[in-house]
Amino acid sequence: MQIQTVGIIGAGTMGNGIAQACAVSGVNVVMVDISDAAVQKGLATVAGSLDRLIKKEKITQADKDTALARIQTSTSYDDLKAAQLVIEAATENYELKLKILKQVDGIVGPDVIIASNTSSISITKLAAATSRADKFIGMHFFNPVPMMALVEIIRGLQTSDATHDAVKAMALALGKSPITVKNAPGFVVNRILVPMINEAFFVLAEGLATPEDIDAGMKLGCNQPIGPLALADMVGLDVCLAVMDVYLQEFGDSKYRACPLLREMVAAGRLGRKTGRGVYQY
């Protein structure tokens, strides 16, 4: 199956990043959001990102113009009919995703593949809500999408080999490095990453070292570009806590118990960069 046009639902950080990755790689995009203001903001973000690449001499002005010309914006799901693959990149909310997926499922042709960019919701569960569970898959991009090579391709219990192969080929065509993952809470990367962040909070709570020294240790000892506590501030402490709570609930294993200090800081409203204070002051 040749994927020439990709529909993207959501023009936010992830949606516009996926749109940019597609357009730069020669794939046509239909980017849909609830309001014209939202899609225009998404398009402006892509234009700004491409301008930075021009400054770095990675692309030319002509490349930028060509890429932007490949992105069609819309507020109507009807325009997704032109796509062979639709990627849902809405907010991480199960009820909202369900509503969107059911709508799209009823509009696009029976051969169209539907993917979700979810980072935590069960692909098997989302697939079951559509009439094409075999053509449903997880396509988890990482932020910032234009820069990050990884895409987790998540197979639900019902996902067919043909769907998996078409989506993997698509990820490779975008210049990404896909890994194939079975459906489970947190998939692979976040399943390992978030408990590591949580453990860093336990180390901090026990007073074993300062935040700066904990982060320096992990950067220098494990070759990580950013320490786990600084990363938690970037991701948002509330997000880290919510993910740990999902793991505890889904796996029923006490090793996923959130550190009380993490919970305390979230209760205090110290959520990281977005509130100006988390582990560090911004």
Side-chain angles (χ1 to χ4, degrees), residues 6-229:
V6 172
I8 298 169
I9 301 166
T13 306
M14 297 307 287
N16 69 56
I18 298 166
Q20 180 180 328
C22 290
V24 166
S25 302
V27 178
N28 295 319
V29 173
V30 180
M31 183 167 66
V32 180
D33 212 319
I34 47 172
S35 69
D36 197 49
V39 285
Q40 291 309 322
K41 188 181 171 192
L43 197 59
T45 303
V46 174
S49 175
L50 293 172
D51 281 337
R52 287 193 293 279
L53 291 174
I54 292 172
K55 270 189 187 153
K56 291 178 182 169
E57 297 183 352
K58 297 264 177 83
I59 63 167
T60 64
Q61 180 65 43
D63 292 333
K64 175 195 168 183
D65 296 341
T66 308
L68 287 178
R70 287 196 184 105
I71 303 175
Q72 175 196 344
T73 58
S74 171
T75 54
S76 167
Y77 285 172
D78 281 338
D79 288 329
L80 296 169
K81 285 178 183 169
Q84 292 83 45
L85 167 68
V86 174
I87 303 171
E88 169 276 309
T91 313
E92 200 68 352
N93 173 308
Y94 176 67
E95 298 302 331
L96 174 69
K97 286 187 187 291
L98 214 56
K99 187 181 155 200
I100 290 169
L101 293 170
K102 283 184 171 168
Q103 262 180 289
V104 172
D105 186 42
I107 290 170
V108 299
D111 294 334
V112 176
I113 295 172
I114 301 179
S116 175
N117 177 55
T118 180
S119 56
S120 67
I121 298 167
S122 167
I123 296 300
T124 298
K125 202 169 165 183
L126 290 174
T130 72
S131 65
R132 63 187 81 208
D134 61 320
K135 293 187 183 71
F136 193 91
I137 199 161
M139 210 176 177
H140 180 212
F141 290 83
F142 286 74
N143 191 22
V145 179
M147 313 302 292
M148 298 287 273
L150 182 65
V151 179
E152 281 183 319
I153 296 177
I154 304 109
R155 298 186 68 140
L157 194 62
Q158 320 90 317
T159 308
S160 72
D161 290 343
T163 298
H164 166 267
D165 296 349
V167 169
K168 184 177 180 180
M170 176 67 198
L172 290 167
L174 299 182
K176 300 298 181 192
S177 303
I179 63 170
T180 299
V181 179
K182 283 183 187 171
N183 185 61
F187 314 131
V188 166
V189 176
N190 288 338
R191 163 101 174 256
I192 296 167
L193 177 69
V194 181
M196 182 193 76
I197 288 172
N198 191 50
E199 198 60 36
F201 274 93
F202 274 116
V203 169
L204 180 64
E206 288 165 26
L208 297 184
T210 64
E212 291 81 2
D213 281 355
I214 292 167
D215 279 351
M218 291 305 287
K219 278 162 71 177
L220 299 171
C222 298
N223 211 13
Q224 294 180 349
I226 182 172
L229 298 172

